[in-house]
């Protein structure tokens, strides 16, 4: 059984949550659930403990201050704003709606949602589609991926640059596929779990290595794409210098 299924099952049982799904993207992790719970500090601590978030006791109070909590109509309004990209890094991008739908469908298939969240998602999708169709927000469609590619185009890259892809999550997948579409082909992938990155590696015809081997990589790079779910920075100064392998020309980083 997948780890996220076990975690959500434990959470539902421990806190008596009837319906739940979670949204995980490059800049957010949100849990959406239905139930009669007061979102006070005690509940959030129990929630984190059930999910094995492993927040140190000395940092818990600081962490609690950084957790956004929404309930009732405030929660619904937040989800409307999120699905319409009003809470995104790039207002007007359409990726977030697809991400929310996939997140819901995944948890629905695992049996974690019911009629209440089904009705909520139905209204959420219809509202977002109306916003994208009938407001100016959709007139200049854009995404984090297209912005990153636009930035790369401003750089004078050599022909067929060496592209390091660190992490094989959705954002990196989309950007790498976008680059492939524009005739880039020299990719190398590092991911925490090699098996999870294998489908992307096959599509890009790229070599894939475990993230633990990144410190030993000595083939250099021209472009580095980094997006992972790690709570700390993956590329620190010493590692970056090692990856340069003595090269002193300008590099591009996304």
């Amino acid at each position: 059984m997948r780890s996220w299924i076990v975690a959500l099952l434990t959470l539902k049982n421990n806190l008596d949550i009837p319906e739940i799904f979670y949204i995980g993207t490059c800049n957010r992790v949100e849990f959406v659930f239905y139930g009669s719970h007061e979102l006070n500090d005690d509940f959030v601590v129990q929630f984190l403990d059930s999910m094995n978030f492993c927040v140190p006791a000395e940092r818990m109070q600081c962490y609690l201050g950084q957790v956004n909590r929404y309930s009732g109509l405030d929660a619904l309004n937040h989800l409307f704003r999120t699905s319409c990209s009003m809470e995104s890094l790039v207002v007007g991008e359409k990726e977030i709606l697809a991400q929310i739908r996939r997140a819901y469908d995944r948890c629905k298939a695992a049996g974690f949602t019911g009629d209440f969240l089904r009705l909520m998602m139905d209204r959420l999708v219809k509202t977002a589609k109306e916003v994208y169709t009938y407001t100016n927000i959709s007139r200049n469609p854009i995404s984090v991926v297209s912005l990153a590619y636009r930035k790369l185009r401003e750089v004078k890259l050599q022909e067929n640059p060496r592209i390091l892809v660190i992490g094989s999550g959705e954002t990196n997948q989309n950007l790498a596929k976008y680059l492939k579409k524009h005739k880039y082909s020299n990719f190398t992938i590092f991911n925490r779990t090699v098996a999870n990155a294998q489908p992307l590696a096959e599509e890009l015809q790229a070599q894939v290595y475990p993230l633990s081997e990144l410190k030993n990589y000595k083939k250099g790079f021209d472009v580095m794409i980094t997006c992972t779910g790690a709570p700390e920075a993956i590329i620190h100064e010493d590692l970056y210098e090692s990856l340069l392998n003595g090269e002193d020309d300008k590099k591009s980083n996304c």
Side-chain angles (χ1 to χ4, degrees):
M1 187 178 293
R2 294 182 179 180
S3 58
W4 67 268
I5 293 180
V6 174
L8 284 186
L9 189 60
T10 301
L11 182 67
K12 277 173 58 70
N13 293 336
N14 287 354
L15 298 184
D16 190 25
I17 296 175
E19 303 181 37
I20 188 170
F21 75 98
Y22 79 96
I23 306 164
T25 70
C26 58
N27 70 318
R28 80 177 76 238
V29 175
E30 297 193 9
F31 292 89
V32 182
F33 60 90
Y34 165 66
S36 56
H37 302 81
E38 182 181 352
L39 304 185
N40 53 32
D41 285 355
D42 288 341
F43 176 81
V44 175
V45 170
Q46 294 177 57
F47 194 102
L48 296 174
D49 285 344
S50 293
M51 291 295 293
N52 290 322
F53 270 37
C54 299
V55 179
E58 63 272 15
R59 296 182 57 188
M60 180 59 76
Q61 203 57 44
C62 177
Y63 192 90
L64 289 173
Q66 298 174 4
V67 176
N68 294 319
R69 315 169 200 185
Y70 303 92
S71 60
L73 286 178
D74 287 340
L76 192 58
N77 286 332
H78 169 72
L79 287 169
F80 280 143
R81 288 179 57 84
T82 301
S83 66
C84 298
S85 81
M86 298 301 294
E87 302 288 348
S88 296
L89 291 173
V90 182
V91 175
E93 59 94 2
K94 294 184 178 181
E95 292 173 6
I96 183 60
L97 178 58
Q99 290 170 336
I100 292 174
R101 293 183 70 172
R102 283 194 294 271
Y104 169 78
D105 288 343
R106 183 170 58 242
C107 289
K108 177 184 176 183
F112 293 127
T113 65
D115 287 341
F116 186 91
L117 291 185
R118 176 181 58 80
L119 292 172
M120 183 209 72
M121 277 300 301
D122 182 64
R123 176 47 53 192
L124 205 68
V125 171
K126 289 179 179 178
T127 300
K129 286 183 175 179
E130 289 179 2
V131 169
Y132 286 125
T133 301
Y134 298 113
T135 72
N136 291 338
I137 200 172
S138 63
R139 289 194 176 178
N140 295 298
I142 204 165
S143 67
V144 173
V145 169
S146 61
L147 281 177
Y149 177 69
R150 185 180 301 175
K151 189 67 177 177
L152 280 176
R153 287 189 61 184
E154 296 175 1
V155 180
K156 299 296 184 182
L157 295 174
Q158 66 182 50
E159 185 176 352
N160 200 22
R162 300 161 296 172
I163 302 173
L164 281 186
V165 181
I166 301 172
S168 66
E170 187 172 7
T171 299
N172 276 6
Q173 288 182 37
N174 289 340
L175 181 51
K177 292 175 183 178
Y178 203 77
L179 290 171
K180 180 189 175 186
K181 178 181 176 182
H182 288 82
K183 310 305 181 184
Y184 294 88
S185 61
N186 192 355
F187 296 92
T188 303
I189 303 170
F190 286 87
N191 197 56
R192 193 174 304 277
T193 306
V194 169
N196 292 345
Q198 202 62 51
L200 178 62
E202 291 175 2
E203 180 166 355
L204 299 177
Q205 296 184 333
Q207 293 291 319
V208 57
Y209 303 97
L211 192 59
S212 58
E213 287 298 309
L214 188 58
K215 62 182 181 296
N216 300 319
Y217 187 74
K218 300 300 181 184
K219 295 183 180 180
F221 68 95
D222 301 300
V223 177
M224 182 187 299
I225 302 170
T226 309
C227 182
T228 73
E232 70 282 341
I234 295 293
I235 308 299
H236 50 76
E237 187 174 350
D238 290 342
L239 179 54
Y240 189 80
E241 287 296 326
S242 173
L243 291 171
L244 287 174
N245 199 31
E247 298 178 4
D248 57 5
D249 54 320
K250 186 176 181 179
K251 307 296 182 182
S252 299
N253 301 286
C254 297

